[in-house]
Amino acid sequence: MEPCGKRPGQEHISSAWGSQSAWQWSQSRAAFSFIMTQALLLFSPETSLIMSYSRKIKVRAHWLLQGLASTCAILGLAIISFNKYLNDKPHFTSWHGLVGLVTVLYICMQSIGGVSLLYPKLMNWSLSKLKLYHATSGLVGYLLGCTSLLLGMCSTWFTETVTGITWYLAVCCPVLLALVIMNQISNAYLKKKRMQP
C-alpha cells in the first residue's frame, strides 16, 4: 500500500517537474502578462515592437503570439488539472479555478472568432464591424485572464510563496496591464466608432 494514498510514480513526477503550481502559474503568467499583452499592443502606434511594419505583418504576428498565448493558457490548465488528478483533489472549486476555466474556453472561442476576420463576406458583416467586435470581445477575454491571475494571487500557494511588498507589486502588474490594454483598445476602436455617424 502506498503511503498517504499516493499513486505509484507520483513522487517521481512531482520531483521531475518541481511544483506543478509553479509550472501552472508560470504558464498562465506568460500567457496573459507577457505574450497576450504583446499580441494586443502590436497594433498600438506608441508601443508596438514592430511599429514600422505593415498591418499585414502585424496581423500575422498577432496570430502567432495569440496562438502561443492560447497554448500556454491551455498548458497551464492541463498542468493544474493533472496535479489535481494526481492528488485526488476536486477540480474547479475555487473562484480562481472557475474563472480560469472560463477564461481558457473564452480565449479558444475568441481565437476561432478571429479567423472570421479572414472571411468577412461569409459572415455578412462589414470588416470594420467584425474588427470592432473582435477587439471588444478580445478585451473581455483579456480582462477575464487578468481577473484569473488576480484570484490566483490570493491562493494559498501564491500567498505562501510570495509575501510582503512583492505580493503587492505582483498584484499591481495585471491591474496596470489591464488599464493599458483597455486604453489602447478604446483609443483604437471605440473613439473611431463614436466619430462615425
Side-chain angles (χ1 to χ4, degrees):
M1 180 139 171
E2 293 296 316
C4 303
K6 292 185 178 181
R7 293 182 177 88
Q10 183 175 351
E11 295 85 9
H12 172 71
I13 292 171
S14 294
S15 64
W17 280 17
S19 167
Q20 280 96 357
S21 293
W23 278 90
Q24 185 265 343
W25 181 81
S26 65
Q27 291 300 309
S28 300
R29 183 63 123 178
F32 289 98
S33 294
F34 302 114
I35 302 169
M36 192 173 291
T37 301
Q38 282 306 314
L40 298 174
L41 291 176
L42 285 174
F43 300 106
S44 171
E46 294 89 21
T47 59
S48 177
L49 293 176
I50 55 173
M51 204 176 310
S52 61
Y53 289 88
S54 69
R55 178 152 179 91
K56 185 176 181 177
I57 298 285
K58 290 179 182 179
V59 167
R60 298 291 187 247
H62 176 74
W63 285 2
L64 179 68
L65 290 173
Q66 284 295 90
L68 185 58
S70 298
T71 301
C72 286
I74 291 167
L75 187 58
L77 180 66
I79 289 169
I80 202 65
S81 295
F82 184 63
N83 184 36
K84 298 276 187 181
Y85 170 76
L86 285 179
N87 294 306
D88 289 324
K89 291 184 177 179
H91 298 305
F92 313 116
T93 56
S94 67
W95 280 109
H96 169 64
L98 290 171
V99 172
L101 175 63
V102 168
T103 301
V104 171
L105 294 173
Y106 189 91
I107 293 303
C108 291
M109 294 303 294
Q110 175 69 7
S111 297
I112 293 168
V115 175
S116 70
L117 292 172
L118 294 175
Y119 310 104
K121 291 181 182 177
L122 294 176
M123 301 293 291
N124 291 327
W125 288 341
S126 70
L127 183 59
S128 62
K129 274 189 180 179
L130 284 175
K131 284 181 181 180
L132 175 65
Y133 296 150
H134 181 68
T136 306
S137 177
L139 176 60
V140 170
Y142 187 80
L143 293 177
L144 277 170
C146 289
T147 302
S148 182
L149 286 174
L150 285 171
L151 291 169
M153 289 178 196
C154 297
S155 70
T156 304
W157 174 82
F158 194 83
T159 54
E160 288 175 355
T161 307
V162 180
T163 59
I165 190 76
T166 309
W167 184 86
Y168 291 100
L169 291 172
V171 166
C172 287
C173 289
V175 172
L176 292 174
L177 289 173
L179 291 172
V180 167
I181 296 299
M182 282 191 299
N183 182 53
Q184 189 229 328
I185 290 175
S186 65
N187 285 341
Y189 290 97
L190 302 181
K191 282 187 179 176
K192 286 180 190 175
K193 186 69 179 168
R194 275 185 250 141
M195 289 178 173
Q196 291 177 355

PDB file of all heavy atoms in Angstrom, residues 113-129:
ATOM      1  N   GLY A 113     -13.042  32.886 -33.418  1.00  0.00           N
ATOM      2  CA  GLY A 113     -13.726  34.062 -33.955  1.00  0.00           C
ATOM      3  C   GLY A 113     -12.800  34.972 -34.746  1.00  0.00           C
ATOM      4  O   GLY A 113     -13.229  35.623 -35.702  1.00  0.00           O
ATOM      5  N   GLY A 114     -11.525  35.014 -34.351  1.00  0.00           N
ATOM      6  CA  GLY A 114     -10.557  35.834 -35.076  1.00  0.00           C
ATOM      7  C   GLY A 114     -10.348  35.371 -36.509  1.00  0.00           C
ATOM      8  O   GLY A 114     -10.061  36.167 -37.400  1.00  0.00           O
ATOM      9  N   VAL A 115     -10.541  34.086 -36.733  1.00  0.00           N
ATOM     10  CA  VAL A 115     -10.412  33.547 -38.095  1.00  0.00           C
ATOM     11  C   VAL A 115     -11.492  34.120 -39.001  1.00  0.00           C
ATOM     12  O   VAL A 115     -11.290  34.287 -40.207  1.00  0.00           O
ATOM     13  CB  VAL A 115     -10.456  32.001 -38.053  1.00  0.00           C
ATOM     14  CG1 VAL A 115     -10.461  31.402 -39.446  1.00  0.00           C
ATOM     15  CG2 VAL A 115      -9.280  31.472 -37.253  1.00  0.00           C
ATOM     16  N   SER A 116     -12.643  34.483 -38.426  1.00  0.00           N
ATOM     17  CA  SER A 116     -13.725  35.049 -39.246  1.00  0.00           C
ATOM     18  C   SER A 116     -13.321  36.375 -39.883  1.00  0.00           C
ATOM     19  O   SER A 116     -13.924  36.793 -40.870  1.00  0.00           O
ATOM     20  CB  SER A 116     -14.993  35.237 -38.406  1.00  0.00           C
ATOM     21  OG  SER A 116     -14.806  36.276 -37.467  1.00  0.00           O
ATOM     22  N   LEU A 117     -12.306  37.017 -39.337  1.00  0.00           N
ATOM     23  CA  LEU A 117     -11.825  38.261 -39.951  1.00  0.00           C
ATOM     24  C   LEU A 117     -11.177  38.017 -41.305  1.00  0.00           C
ATOM     25  O   LEU A 117     -11.062  38.936 -42.117  1.00  0.00           O
ATOM     26  CB  LEU A 117     -10.836  38.965 -39.014  1.00  0.00           C
ATOM     27  CG  LEU A 117     -11.444  39.531 -37.737  1.00  0.00           C
ATOM     28  CD1 LEU A 117     -10.358  40.020 -36.799  1.00  0.00           C
ATOM     29  CD2 LEU A 117     -12.399  40.652 -38.054  1.00  0.00           C
ATOM     30  N   LEU A 118     -10.783  36.781 -41.542  1.00  0.00           N
ATOM     31  CA  LEU A 118     -10.210  36.443 -42.848  1.00  0.00           C
ATOM     32  C   LEU A 118     -11.291  36.359 -43.923  1.00  0.00           C
ATOM     33  O   LEU A 118     -11.025  36.585 -45.098  1.00  0.00           O
ATOM     34  CB  LEU A 118      -9.480  35.103 -42.772  1.00  0.00           C
ATOM     35  CG  LEU A 118      -8.244  35.048 -41.898  1.00  0.00           C
ATOM     36  CD1 LEU A 118      -7.730  33.623 -41.838  1.00  0.00           C
ATOM     37  CD2 LEU A 118      -7.185  35.978 -42.424  1.00  0.00           C
ATOM     38  N   TYR A 119     -12.492  35.992 -43.507  1.00  0.00           N
ATOM     39  CA  TYR A 119     -13.579  35.773 -44.452  1.00  0.00           C
ATOM     40  C   TYR A 119     -14.818  36.573 -44.040  1.00  0.00           C
ATOM     41  O   TYR A 119     -15.863  35.988 -43.735  1.00  0.00           O
ATOM     42  CB  TYR A 119     -13.911  34.277 -44.527  1.00  0.00           C
ATOM     43  CG  TYR A 119     -12.701  33.422 -44.750  1.00  0.00           C
ATOM     44  CD1 TYR A 119     -12.143  32.696 -43.702  1.00  0.00           C
ATOM     45  CD2 TYR A 119     -12.091  33.358 -45.999  1.00  0.00           C
ATOM     46  CE1 TYR A 119     -11.015  31.918 -43.896  1.00  0.00           C
ATOM     47  CE2 TYR A 119     -10.962  32.585 -46.207  1.00  0.00           C
ATOM     48  CZ  TYR A 119     -10.428  31.861 -45.147  1.00  0.00           C
ATOM     49  OH  TYR A 119      -9.312  31.098 -45.343  1.00  0.00           O
ATOM     50  N   PRO A 120     -14.742  37.894 -44.051  1.00  0.00           N
ATOM     51  CA  PRO A 120     -15.876  38.694 -43.568  1.00  0.00           C
ATOM     52  C   PRO A 120     -17.130  38.562 -44.433  1.00  0.00           C
ATOM     53  O   PRO A 120     -18.234  38.722 -43.932  1.00  0.00           O
ATOM     54  CB  PRO A 120     -15.336  40.119 -43.590  1.00  0.00           C
ATOM     55  CG  PRO A 120     -14.205  40.095 -44.551  1.00  0.00           C
ATOM     56  CD  PRO A 120     -13.628  38.710 -44.493  1.00  0.00           C
ATOM     57  N   LYS A 121     -16.971  38.225 -45.700  1.00  0.00           N
ATOM     58  CA  LYS A 121     -18.146  38.114 -46.576  1.00  0.00           C
ATOM     59  C   LYS A 121     -19.012  36.916 -46.200  1.00  0.00           C
ATOM     60  O   LYS A 121     -20.227  36.939 -46.410  1.00  0.00           O
ATOM     61  CB  LYS A 121     -17.704  38.021 -48.034  1.00  0.00           C
ATOM     62  CG  LYS A 121     -17.119  39.327 -48.529  1.00  0.00           C
ATOM     63  CD  LYS A 121     -16.704  39.275 -49.962  1.00  0.00           C
ATOM     64  CE  LYS A 121     -16.097  40.617 -50.342  1.00  0.00           C
ATOM     65  NZ  LYS A 121     -15.606  40.647 -51.687  1.00  0.00           N
ATOM     66  N   LEU A 122     -18.407  35.882 -45.628  1.00  0.00           N
ATOM     67  CA  LEU A 122     -19.185  34.724 -45.185  1.00  0.00           C
ATOM     68  C   LEU A 122     -20.054  35.069 -43.983  1.00  0.00           C
ATOM     69  O   LEU A 122     -21.061  34.411 -43.732  1.00  0.00           O
ATOM     70  CB  LEU A 122     -18.250  33.571 -44.821  1.00  0.00           C
ATOM     71  CG  LEU A 122     -17.449  32.959 -45.965  1.00  0.00           C
ATOM     72  CD1 LEU A 122     -16.497  31.889 -45.434  1.00  0.00           C
ATOM     73  CD2 LEU A 122     -18.382  32.370 -47.016  1.00  0.00           C
ATOM     74  N   MET A 123     -19.667  36.081 -43.235  1.00  0.00           N
ATOM     75  CA  MET A 123     -20.404  36.469 -42.036  1.00  0.00           C
ATOM     76  C   MET A 123     -21.494  37.497 -42.344  1.00  0.00           C
ATOM     77  O   MET A 123     -22.294  37.827 -41.485  1.00  0.00           O
ATOM     78  CB  MET A 123     -19.445  37.063 -40.992  1.00  0.00           C
ATOM     79  CG  MET A 123     -18.335  36.137 -40.556  1.00  0.00           C
ATOM     80  SD  MET A 123     -18.919  34.734 -39.637  1.00  0.00           S
ATOM     81  CE  MET A 123     -19.461  35.539 -38.160  1.00  0.00           C
ATOM     82  N   ASN A 124     -21.496  38.046 -43.548  1.00  0.00           N
ATOM     83  CA  ASN A 124     -22.453  39.079 -43.959  1.00  0.00           C
ATOM     84  C   ASN A 124     -22.380  40.334 -43.092  1.00  0.00           C
ATOM     85  O   ASN A 124     -23.385  40.992 -42.855  1.00  0.00           O
ATOM     86  CB  ASN A 124     -23.895  38.539 -43.974  1.00  0.00           C
ATOM     87  CG  ASN A 124     -24.094  37.537 -45.082  1.00  0.00           C
ATOM     88  OD1 ASN A 124     -23.487  37.647 -46.149  1.00  0.00           O
ATOM     89  ND2 ASN A 124     -24.928  36.548 -44.844  1.00  0.00           N
ATOM     90  N   TRP A 125     -21.202  40.624 -42.574  1.00  0.00           N
ATOM     91  CA  TRP A 125     -20.963  41.843 -41.809  1.00  0.00           C
ATOM     92  C   TRP A 125     -19.780  42.561 -42.436  1.00  0.00           C
ATOM     93  O   TRP A 125     -18.942  41.965 -43.099  1.00  0.00           O
ATOM     94  CB  TRP A 125     -20.632  41.543 -40.355  1.00  0.00           C
ATOM     95  CG  TRP A 125     -21.780  41.058 -39.530  1.00  0.00           C
ATOM     96  CD1 TRP A 125     -23.112  41.184 -39.799  1.00  0.00           C
ATOM     97  CD2 TRP A 125     -21.693  40.369 -38.293  1.00  0.00           C
ATOM     98  NE1 TRP A 125     -23.859  40.628 -38.804  1.00  0.00           N
ATOM     99  CE2 TRP A 125     -23.006  40.119 -37.861  1.00  0.00           C
ATOM    100  CE3 TRP A 125     -20.654  39.942 -37.495  1.00  0.00           C
ATOM    101  CZ2 TRP A 125     -23.291  39.466 -36.675  1.00  0.00           C
ATOM    102  CZ3 TRP A 125     -20.939  39.287 -36.310  1.00  0.00           C
ATOM    103  CH2 TRP A 125     -22.242  39.060 -35.918  1.00  0.00           C
ATOM    104  N   SER A 126     -19.722  43.846 -42.193  1.00  0.00           N
ATOM    105  CA  SER A 126     -18.576  44.597 -42.718  1.00  0.00           C
ATOM    106  C   SER A 126     -17.327  44.243 -41.912  1.00  0.00           C
ATOM    107  O   SER A 126     -17.410  43.864 -40.735  1.00  0.00           O
ATOM    108  CB  SER A 126     -18.845  46.098 -42.632  1.00  0.00           C
ATOM    109  OG  SER A 126     -18.838  46.522 -41.284  1.00  0.00           O
ATOM    110  N   LEU A 127     -16.187  44.374 -42.559  1.00  0.00           N
ATOM    111  CA  LEU A 127     -14.916  44.073 -41.901  1.00  0.00           C
ATOM    112  C   LEU A 127     -14.696  44.986 -40.699  1.00  0.00           C
ATOM    113  O   LEU A 127     -14.201  44.541 -39.656  1.00  0.00           O
ATOM    114  CB  LEU A 127     -13.763  44.204 -42.901  1.00  0.00           C
ATOM    115  CG  LEU A 127     -12.378  43.843 -42.379  1.00  0.00           C
ATOM    116  CD1 LEU A 127     -12.348  42.402 -41.883  1.00  0.00           C
ATOM    117  CD2 LEU A 127     -11.333  44.059 -43.472  1.00  0.00           C
ATOM    118  N   SER A 128     -15.099  46.247 -40.807  1.00  0.00           N
ATOM    119  CA  SER A 128     -14.899  47.167 -39.683  1.00  0.00           C
ATOM    120  C   SER A 128     -15.725  46.745 -38.459  1.00  0.00           C
ATOM    121  O   SER A 128     -15.253  46.837 -37.323  1.00  0.00           O
ATOM    122  CB  SER A 128     -15.227  48.606 -40.080  1.00  0.00           C
ATOM    123  OG  SER A 128     -16.590  48.716 -40.442  1.00  0.00           O
ATOM    124  N   LYS A 129     -16.958  46.263 -38.686  1.00  0.00           N
ATOM    125  CA  LYS A 129     -17.769  45.782 -37.565  1.00  0.00           C
ATOM    126  C   LYS A 129     -17.143  44.540 -36.943  1.00  0.00           C
ATOM    127  O   LYS A 129     -17.099  44.400 -35.724  1.00  0.00           O
ATOM    128  CB  LYS A 129     -19.190  45.454 -38.021  1.00  0.00           C
ATOM    129  CG  LYS A 129     -20.122  46.616 -38.010  1.00  0.00           C
ATOM    130  CD  LYS A 129     -21.540  46.138 -38.252  1.00  0.00           C
ATOM    131  CE  LYS A 129     -22.473  47.344 -38.249  1.00  0.00           C
ATOM    132  NZ  LYS A 129     -23.858  46.946 -38.497  1.00  0.00           N
TER     133      LYS A 129
END
